[in-house]
Amino acid sequence: MSGCVETILVLLRHASHDRLGSVLCGRMPGVTLSEAGRREADALAVTLARHRFAAVLSSPLERAVETAAAIAASQALAVEVEVEEDLNELDLGAWAGLRFEDLRGDPAWNLWNSARSHARPPGGETMTEAQARTARCIEGLHRRYAGRTVALVSHADVIKAALCHALGLSVDFHARFEIAPASRSVLIAGEWGLKVHSINEATE
């Protein structure tokens, strides 16, 4: 691997919102950071201020853009948040906005949580499809920002899909990863492929 130009990809889950743990938000609009989430985003930005990001990219959803904005504002050299559709939350179709308790016992929900590689939410996308767009994004960023560091603000399942891709695992193993709000996981991309540097690091 020596002599290869590496790109560091810092994968960041958005900070907390008030529906966390009770509502399956998906891509529903209007989900913004809670007061605690804003504190998390600010603390994350302070931790990441020592990095020089060539770019800060974000899912188009409000909670991700708000987190990304705090990170971009902490940079010594001005950097704008770039919205990247490939970092968007999984499309959960008809499930978006439902409470977790309302999904309990639904056979389709049970299948979704046991066989992510092929199960599909009603009207939504499979996690494998989300993984494909995430991998495409990572590959493009490696080419575009070779030798530099990039921040990507996204969502737990999208980050899990990226980690499974890097490790050569099926997305059926998604539950083996914990990706907390405002956590960071780091991938390193080279011509030889991807390696996982860290997973689910907490704010210092």
Side-chain angles (χ1 to χ4, degrees), residues 11-14 26-27 59-61 63 84-91 112 116 125-127 129-135 137-138 152-166 171 174 177 179 185 187:
L11 309 180
L12 304 155
R13 185 182 176 187
H14 62 79
R27 296 182 177 181
S59 154
L61 299 182
R63 56 195 184 272
E84 172 54 66
E85 186 62 39
D86 281 341
L87 296 177
N88 204 349
E89 175 64 287
L90 270 64
D91 183 353
W112 169 251
R116 288 286 180 91
E125 67 178 336
T126 68
M127 196 164 173
E129 290 168 343
Q131 184 184 58
R133 60 175 164 84
T134 307
C137 177
I138 288 172
L152 295 78
V153 182
S154 190
H155 307 269
D157 278 348
V158 177
I159 294 171
K160 289 179 179 184
L163 291 169
C164 285
H165 170 66
V171 293
H174 73 283
F177 301 104
I179 303 297
S185 301
L187 299 179

Side-chain angles (χ1 to χ4, degrees), residues 99-131:
R99 299 183 67 82
F100 286 105
E101 62 188 39
D102 296 329
L103 290 163
R104 191 176 299 116
D106 183 336
W109 174 248
N110 293 338
L111 179 63
W112 169 251
N113 287 301
S114 62
R116 288 286 180 91
S117 58
H118 62 273
R120 182 186 300 277
E125 67 178 336
T126 68
M127 196 164 173
T128 300
E129 290 168 343
Q131 184 184 58

Side-chain angles (χ1 to χ4, degrees), residues 2-202:
S2 60
C4 293
V5 177
E6 298 179 341
T7 307
I8 299 173
L9 303 156
V10 183
L11 309 180
L12 304 155
R13 185 182 176 187
H14 62 79
S16 298
H17 55 83
D18 285 334
R19 298 175 178 87
L20 195 66
S22 61
V23 175
L24 188 64
C25 294
R27 296 182 177 181
M28 63 183 288
V31 181
T32 58
L33 297 184
S34 62
E35 183 177 344
R38 288 190 291 273
R39 290 195 298 269
E40 291 171 355
D42 290 342
L44 180 60
V46 169
T47 296
L48 296 174
R50 65 178 182 272
H51 295 279
R52 293 194 175 186
F53 292 123
V56 176
L57 290 91
S58 174
S59 154
L61 299 182
E62 292 100 320
R63 56 195 184 272
V65 172
E66 289 174 335
T67 304
I71 294 164
S74 74
Q75 292 290 290
L77 299 176
V79 58
E80 297 292 327
V81 175
E82 299 177 39
V83 171
E84 172 54 66
E85 186 62 39
D86 281 341
L87 296 177
N88 204 349
E89 175 64 287
L90 270 64
D91 183 353
L92 297 173
W95 286 343
L98 295 182
R99 299 183 67 82
F100 286 105
E101 62 188 39
D102 296 329
L103 290 163
R104 191 176 299 116
D106 183 336
W109 174 248
N110 293 338
L111 179 63
W112 169 251
N113 287 301
S114 62
R116 288 286 180 91
S117 58
H118 62 273
R120 182 186 300 277
E125 67 178 336
T126 68
M127 196 164 173
T128 300
E129 290 168 343
Q131 184 184 58
R133 60 175 164 84
T134 307
R136 177 178 66 225
C137 177
I138 288 172
E139 177 63 23
L141 291 173
H142 169 49
R143 303 295 180 190
R144 182 178 173 188
Y145 295 107
R148 291 181 282 177
T149 302
V150 182
L152 295 78
V153 182
S154 190
H155 307 269
D157 278 348
V158 177
I159 294 171
K160 289 179 179 184
L163 291 169
C164 285
H165 170 66
L167 292 168
L169 297 174
S170 165
V171 293
D172 288 340
F173 296 109
H174 73 283
R176 298 188 181 186
F177 301 104
E178 178 66 30
I179 303 297
S183 67
R184 62 191 183 279
S185 301
V186 179
L187 299 179
I188 299 176
E191 293 305 313
W192 33 265
L194 291 170
K195 63 182 177 182
V196 176
H197 180 271
S198 62
I199 298 174
N200 196 41
E201 292 181 293

